[in-house]
Amino acid sequence: MDLSASQVESIVRKLLSEMSAPACAQGEIPKTAKVAMLTSQKKIEVKEYPIPALEDDDILVKVEGCGVCGTDVHEWKGDPFGLIPVVLGHEGTGEIIAMGKNVKCDTAGVPLKVGDKIVTSVISCGECHICRMHPANTNLCDKQGVFGLIGHNDAQPLNGWFASHLLIRSKGATYFQVNDLNLNERMLLELATVAVHAYNRGASTGLLNFNSKVLVQGLGPVGLMMISVLRAAGINHIIAIDGTPKRLEMAKKLGAKTLINFRECDTLDKRIAAVKEVANGVGADFVYQCTGAPAAASDAYSYVRRGGGFCEMGFFVNNGEFSINPHFAMCNKEINLVGSWDYSAEDYPTTMAFLRQAKEMKIPIEELITHSYPLEQLNEAMEMNVSQQGIKICYKAE
């Protein structure tokens, strides 16, 4: 093919232009960012760090908000993961203000640009047995990471969402564009993904359908979100157990039909009878155990009918042990027992669909957010979470 001199000149100019283009697409990038760092038990301090120069695969996010998870509170109280010093916050969201030149789309293949809203998911190692042989179960990766539970690193100090900015820089990081969700929905997305993953674990038993009587024990944010997911999935009779009237009332708003206050129904025998009264005289078809209390977890096996199912999702940290009689709790009933741990990146698109479905069904999940705090008041946010005066506590950027 013959090219004219002008065509050759045009091609050369274009190539030179591309070669001299900046390494990343950028909005306005400040020189420094603030982080709320856990420096010792029950002590979060606001610190300021230079924003590292962006590399070709990086994404810089201006944080808009982040939910406070029970895991954050456990780390704040006692550092069970040995991460201090650490910038916590893994339920976050914000706006992309800069991207490396290699970043074209999110984990689901959706094109990304500066100005898009984004959330992060798990970071998988890609090398362990699970990652190599069971890639759909990356929630079980031996070296799984998540932004907000990574020890401090001077070279990359912006690795938690309790900050003014987050820098997505990690091999195996996953992230999703969420432009069609509002801020509250985005801050609840990670929590909802925990519940969606648990729903799928329960559904794998074949015991969840329109006619199922499903019991949820423990009405913290996880249990209440679990009720929301069950209702959106078409479960018509949800039984909710807790000891806090405010949380029981929220469970009713979200779709629970039967409420049991364990402080009023104050013996296990009474609670078993109350469950059987509304569950065909035999017990719940399926139980989601969402408390982190060993004694409560032990009781929950008594609510399951013979041939029913049970999903344990309440112990994301080691809260101790409990004892059951395996003959009566499992074998004699032949229950279908599953555990649920975190989520995989592939659960995120499904969860986004759940959030849209919940809005269409007018399930008021945004009412779960009861308190929000600025960066400088995250110690107070942790205290509020511990007090259980609210439901879902959040950090919102000012």
Side-chain angles (χ1 to χ4, degrees):
M1 179 176 65
D2 294 329
L3 295 174
S4 67
S6 62
Q7 287 175 313
V8 171
E9 182 180 358
S10 175
I11 292 171
V12 170
R13 285 181 182 276
K14 183 181 178 186
L15 288 172
L16 288 173
S17 174
E18 290 175 351
M19 289 172 63
S20 61
C24 58
Q26 296 183 0
E28 184 176 348
I29 303 177
K31 290 184 169 53
T32 63
K34 291 182 178 180
V35 302
M37 182 180 291
L38 181 66
T39 56
S40 60
Q41 291 181 23
K42 295 189 176 182
K43 186 177 182 181
I44 294 176
E45 299 180 75
V46 175
K47 295 180 177 291
E48 194 163 0
Y49 289 94
I51 293 178
L54 260 66
E55 298 176 2
D56 291 346
D57 298 305
D58 293 350
I59 301 175
L60 182 64
V61 183
K62 186 178 188 301
V63 178
E64 295 178 335
C66 182
V68 175
C69 177
T71 305
D72 296 320
V73 177
H74 283 296
E75 182 62 18
W76 175 77
K77 286 166 61 178
D79 193 25
F81 306 113
L83 294 175
I84 291 176
V86 60
V87 179
L88 296 171
H90 55 272
E91 298 180 351
T93 183
E95 179 178 315
I96 297 174
I97 61 171
M99 302 192 314
K101 67 179 182 181
N102 292 341
V103 180
K104 306 298 182 185
C105 59
D106 73 2
T107 301
V110 177
L112 282 181
K113 64 183 184 305
V114 168
D116 282 341
K117 308 300 184 181
I118 197 171
V119 296
T120 51
S121 183
V122 292
I123 305 167
S124 304
C125 75
E127 299 172 353
C128 69
H129 175 76
I130 289 290
C131 286
R132 290 183 181 278
M133 301 302 296
H134 305 279
N137 299 114
T138 51
N139 60 309
L140 303 179
C141 167
D142 290 340
K143 299 175 183 177
Q144 185 200 68
V146 61
F147 291 105
L149 289 171
I150 302 170
H152 174 68
N153 180 347
D154 280 331
Q156 206 305 59
L158 310 181
N159 56 23
W161 283 98
F162 289 168
S164 64
H165 296 77
L166 178 87
L167 180 59
I168 300 175
R169 173 187 290 171
S170 182
K171 179 184 176 183
T174 53
Y175 41 85
F176 296 89
Q177 184 252 79
V178 284
N179 288 348
D180 66 327
L181 302 178
N182 66 38
L183 177 56
N184 285 344
E185 290 169 330
R186 287 185 273 132
M187 289 193 296
L188 290 169
L189 176 55
E190 194 270 356
L191 171 64
T193 308
V194 170
V196 166
H197 184 82
Y199 174 81
N200 289 332
R201 293 288 290 144
S204 70
T205 68
L207 290 165
L208 297 179
N209 56 62
F210 291 116
N211 199 38
S212 301
K213 308 292 191 301
V214 180
L215 185 147
V216 176
Q217 175 171 261
L219 303 180
V222 169
L224 289 168
M225 187 61 80
M226 194 69 239
I227 287 173
S228 304
V229 170
L230 289 165
R231 189 69 196 92
I235 303 299
N236 293 310
H237 196 139
I238 301 168
I239 304 161
I241 298 182
D242 199 87
T244 305
K246 182 189 299 184
R247 295 188 172 195
L248 286 161
E249 184 58 34
M250 180 59 74
K252 184 177 180 180
K253 278 188 175 184
L254 295 170
K257 185 172 288 188
T258 297
L259 309 178
I260 299 173
N261 187 328
F262 67 73
R263 300 186 194 283
E264 297 171 358
C265 205
D266 58 1
T267 68
L268 179 58
D269 286 342
K270 288 180 183 178
R271 293 192 291 276
I272 293 171
V275 172
K276 287 184 175 181
E277 183 179 354
V278 297
N280 305 315
V282 294
D285 296 300
F286 203 92
V287 168
Y288 280 96
Q289 201 302 112
C290 302
T291 79
S298 175
D299 289 351
Y301 286 85
S302 300
Y303 305 136
V304 189
R305 70 165 173 83
R306 297 188 78 184
F310 189 107
C311 178
E312 177 56 68
M313 57 181 301
F315 292 88
F316 289 104
V317 297
N318 180 4
N319 277 349
E321 300 177 356
F322 61 85
S323 63
I324 55 172
N325 184 315
H327 169 72
F328 291 111
M330 291 182 281
C331 291
N332 178 263
K333 289 184 176 182
E334 196 172 271
I335 70 168
N336 296 265
L337 176 64
V338 295
S340 185
W341 180 254
D342 288 354
Y343 44 77
S344 295
E346 67 176 17
D347 290 312
Y348 266 64
T350 304
T351 305
M352 293 175 213
F354 152 69
L355 290 170
R356 299 180 194 110
Q357 175 74 5
K359 180 178 286 187
E360 187 172 320
M361 293 177 66
K362 295 182 168 47
I363 300 172
I365 61 169
E366 290 185 55
E367 291 185 27
L368 291 174
I369 298 176
T370 56
H371 297 77
S372 61
Y373 293 83
L375 200 65
E376 292 76 16
Q377 295 180 17
L378 282 176
N379 286 299
E380 289 90 332
M382 298 293 176
E383 294 284 5
M384 177 57 73
N385 192 298
V386 171
S387 75
Q388 297 190 359
Q389 295 178 59
I391 297 177
K392 188 63 181 175
I393 316 301
C394 291
Y395 151 54
K396 280 190 179 180
E398 296 178 319

